[in-house]
Amino acid sequence: MRILVKGGTIVTASEEFQGDVLVEGETIRAVGQHLDLPADQVIDAAGKYVLPGGVDQHTHFSALCNVGDQDTAGYETTDAVVVGGTTTIVDYAPQDPKTGLLDSIDYRINVRAKDKACVDFALHGMVTEIMDSMFDEIAQFPQKGISSIKIFMAYNGSPLHVDDGTFFRILECSRKAGVTVFVHAENGEILDFLRRQCVKNGQTTPHYHYVSRPPFTEAEAVRRAIYLAGQTDTPLYIAHMTCRPALEALLQAKGTGQRVYGETCTHYLTTTKEALDNPDFNEAAKFVCSPALRDQEDCDALWAALNSGLLNAVVSDHCGIDVANLKQVGRNDFTQIPNGAPGAADRMHVIWTEGVAKGRISRQKFVEITAAQPAKINGIYPRKGHIAVGCDADLVILDPDYRGVIRLEDNPNGVDYNIYEGREQLGRVETVLLRGRVVVRDAQFVGKYGQGQFIPAKMYGSCYENRA
Ligand code: DUC
Ligand code: ZN
Ligand code: ZN
């Protein structure tokens, strides 16, 4: 099957030009101007942008919530993600109870995602229960195509928490295997104290979620993580950065030549902590995520950090947790509210609207932070995140003239809310190709459940390059 995408404006992280893309089978066969080649189907992209399919390097599908014993929404809900213009996710693979890293990864690929995933997916290993065997397991990541591991400095008292000694050992064995270490950087001990103190004082509404997670607890952990990574000469990737003091720590470390990198999330760029002040518990609980939402000046600092290159990617940190169900356990105590919100289906539209359409970032920067860099960091570039001969034919055709409003009912995400509900939407993904097949037409899913494949990653992702 040959598909010719004709007359669009092709945008990659490095260039923008009018042209055509010829797709044959699953890959891109030709890119150029006035391609006059036979095709089974021609898609007219005149007046539209042709972008690489989005790569969201931080999602949590079918994963145990940080509070309670239930899972987030599963891979069958990734139909909404592809409608939103993301064709690849790098999903977290937490350990299943009493199970090692590798077995948990296998189970995810062969059971959890099988016959369900609508997007292609790579995986991050994720430590959620410290085991002696895990250091040997990380050494085997290259054979499995897993190029990264995440650890939590927060959540003291839960199996998620990784102490500094274990973190140090993980840094060492990851460097030897070419695995990139992603860290959730918040000072767990101080958070534990502040949260207990709030509850003791009867301060139990979602408002106290951000009161008990102040920016300095993030900044301190970022500095400590950077220091430890520096001692082992391991590149470090800081997940979901939210605030100016944490960015300052990243900037200082980069200035010394250390290989340190960071991402932020759609919601930290576009939503402030006042969302947690809503007197309606349900409305406030939707925005309980960690780290907490911050101030407008932090949002502004994050946009600036994307433009300067200090931050490399915008991710969704998608967690499908129903507010009518799971979040209710924290109705009388905010510390019991499972953390996280859905966003993988909206990331591309919200960043296009708030970033490109409102003049905060260029179109090329958009591609860089939503597709190209995440693919490079995770060892799946240029197969993913780029438009060139030989790349997977993952293409998004976006209509910049669309004007609308984000509504859950227009793209149901498998969760009972959308944190961007009612926001204006400027521009819309109309057509999506996943490995050469049209899976979204007229902004509707027309693909198949199970069409998504596991994409093995190459080790030594881009964080290992370029000693600054
Ligand atoms: N960290 C994440 O990365 N996602 C959800 C909750 C958390 O603490
Ligand atoms: Zn985290
Ligand atoms: Zn996350």
Side-chain angles (χ1 to χ4, degrees):
M1 173 83 170
R2 286 159 68 101
I3 300 178
L4 186 60
V5 180
K6 233 182 145 32
T9 302
I10 298 166
V11 188
T12 68
S14 53
E15 51 184 348
E16 176 173 320
F17 56 95
Q18 289 279 121
D20 310 328
V21 183
L22 181 74
V23 171
E24 188 171 51
E26 298 200 338
T27 50
I28 295 173
R29 277 284 165 251
V31 182
Q33 288 175 324
H34 312 298
L35 290 184
D36 199 10
L37 298 165
D40 304 295
Q41 186 185 347
V42 176
I43 298 176
D44 178 10
K48 316 271 167 71
Y49 291 106
V50 181
L51 315 168
V55 179
D56 188 347
Q57 66 171 10
H58 188 150
T59 60
H60 301 273
F61 287 93
S62 191
L64 199 62
C65 295
N66 71 309
V67 179
D69 58 2
Q70 294 194 50
D71 282 353
T72 57
Y75 290 87
E76 67 282 3
T77 62
T78 55
D79 50 355
V81 179
V82 83
V83 172
T86 291
T87 48
T88 304
I89 59 172
V90 189
D91 202 36
Y92 281 100
Q95 290 166 258
D96 292 304
K98 310 249 174 296
T99 308
L101 292 164
L102 296 174
D103 286 345
S104 303
I105 286 163
D106 283 340
Y107 185 70
R108 183 159 290 272
I109 296 169
N110 299 323
V111 180
R112 289 183 188 269
K114 195 171 164 44
D115 300 329
K116 299 189 189 91
C118 302
V119 286
D120 281 357
F121 60 99
L123 294 171
H124 306 282
M126 183 164 166
V127 177
T128 51
E129 195 175 331
I130 296 171
M131 293 178 173
D132 284 343
S133 56
M134 69 192 196
F135 306 103
D136 288 339
E137 291 196 278
I138 292 171
Q140 294 173 54
F141 274 20
Q143 290 99 284
K144 285 271 176 205
I146 305 296
S147 70
S148 52
I149 180 118
K150 181 177 179 188
I151 69 105
F152 289 92
M153 295 171 85
Y155 300 122
N156 282 48
S158 109
L160 301 185
H161 176 72
V162 167
D163 60 274
D164 288 347
T166 306
F167 181 20
F168 186 76
R169 284 184 70 190
I170 290 173
L171 285 163
E172 284 200 323
C173 66
S174 296
R175 186 195 65 242
K176 289 179 190 149
V179 167
T180 304
V181 179
F182 282 59
V183 61
H184 176 126
E186 288 185 289
N187 183 312
E189 287 186 15
I190 297 178
L191 294 186
D192 193 39
F193 165 71
L194 293 175
R195 283 152 58 83
R196 281 176 200 270
Q197 198 179 45
C198 281
V199 174
K200 202 167 120 200
N201 294 339
Q203 298 167 323
T204 56
T205 62
H207 164 85
Y208 293 98
H209 179 68
Y210 72 74
V211 171
S212 64
R213 295 184 107 90
F216 84 85
T217 57
E218 179 182 340
E220 185 280 331
V222 166
R223 285 185 185 276
R224 184 159 29 106
I226 287 172
Y227 189 80
L228 294 177
Q231 297 310 304
T232 59
D233 197 23
T234 311
L236 183 70
Y237 202 91
I238 301 162
H240 44 48
M241 297 190 77
T242 72
C243 60
R244 193 184 286 275
L247 292 175
E248 280 164 5
L250 186 66
L251 184 63
Q252 273 177 21
K254 265 195 199 290
T256 68
Q258 200 177 331
R259 291 173 296 180
V260 286
Y261 306 86
E263 69 185 19
T264 189
C265 307
T266 323
H267 43 283
Y268 299 124
L269 289 161
T270 59
T271 312
T272 57
K273 65 185 194 310
E274 286 72 26
L276 290 155
D277 296 338
N278 196 315
D280 179 338
F281 170 82
N282 283 357
E283 287 309 310
K286 291 174 183 175
F287 294 92
V288 170
C289 58
S290 291
L293 296 173
R294 306 294 190 201
D295 292 314
Q296 185 58 46
E297 68 153 315
D298 295 299
C299 303
D300 296 342
L302 293 169
W303 283 110
L306 288 165
N307 267 320
S308 71
L310 178 61
L311 290 178
N312 300 86
V314 178
V315 302
S316 66
D317 199 356
H318 176 99
C319 297
I321 303 170
D322 281 340
V323 72
N325 174 17
L326 283 178
K327 294 238 180 198
Q328 295 302 317
V329 295
R331 187 165 267 282
N332 299 316
D333 175 357
F334 74 91
T335 66
Q336 298 307 304
I337 303 173
N339 286 193
D346 306 292
R347 180 186 67 122
M348 299 282 275
H349 284 136
V350 174
I351 298 303
W352 183 274
T353 300
E354 298 299 327
V356 178
K358 297 194 178 174
R360 291 186 174 102
I361 57 171
S362 69
R363 290 183 287 272
Q364 284 175 226
K365 178 59 88 172
F366 175 83
V367 173
E368 179 189 323
I369 60 179
T370 60
Q373 288 262 20
K376 289 178 183 177
I377 290 159
N378 292 285
I380 55 174
Y381 184 90
R383 179 172 179 187
K384 302 295 187 186
H386 192 38
I387 298 179
V389 173
C391 300
D392 277 5
D394 297 346
L395 300 174
V396 161
I397 301 174
L398 183 140
D399 174 8
D401 297 326
Y402 174 88
R403 296 288 176 267
V405 168
I406 296 177
R407 295 205 185 287
L408 180 64
E409 64 190 34
D410 293 337
N411 187 19
N413 60 13
V415 190
D416 63 0
Y417 71 98
N418 182 328
I419 53 171
Y420 305 105
E421 186 77 24
R423 289 206 184 201
E424 73 175 334
Q425 182 181 328
L426 308 175
R428 182 173 70 163
V429 172
E430 289 202 326
T431 306
V432 178
L433 276 72
L434 175 66
R435 275 179 287 101
R437 288 199 5 231
V438 175
V439 294
V440 174
R441 190 181 299 123
D442 297 329
Q444 300 295 320
F445 183 69
V446 293
K448 290 198 176 81
Y449 294 84
Q451 68 190 9
Q453 286 182 2
F454 172 64
I455 306 295
K458 292 189 252 83
M459 300 308 109
Y460 296 100
S462 59
C463 298
Y464 276 86
E465 292 165 10
N466 307 330
R467 189 165 267 290

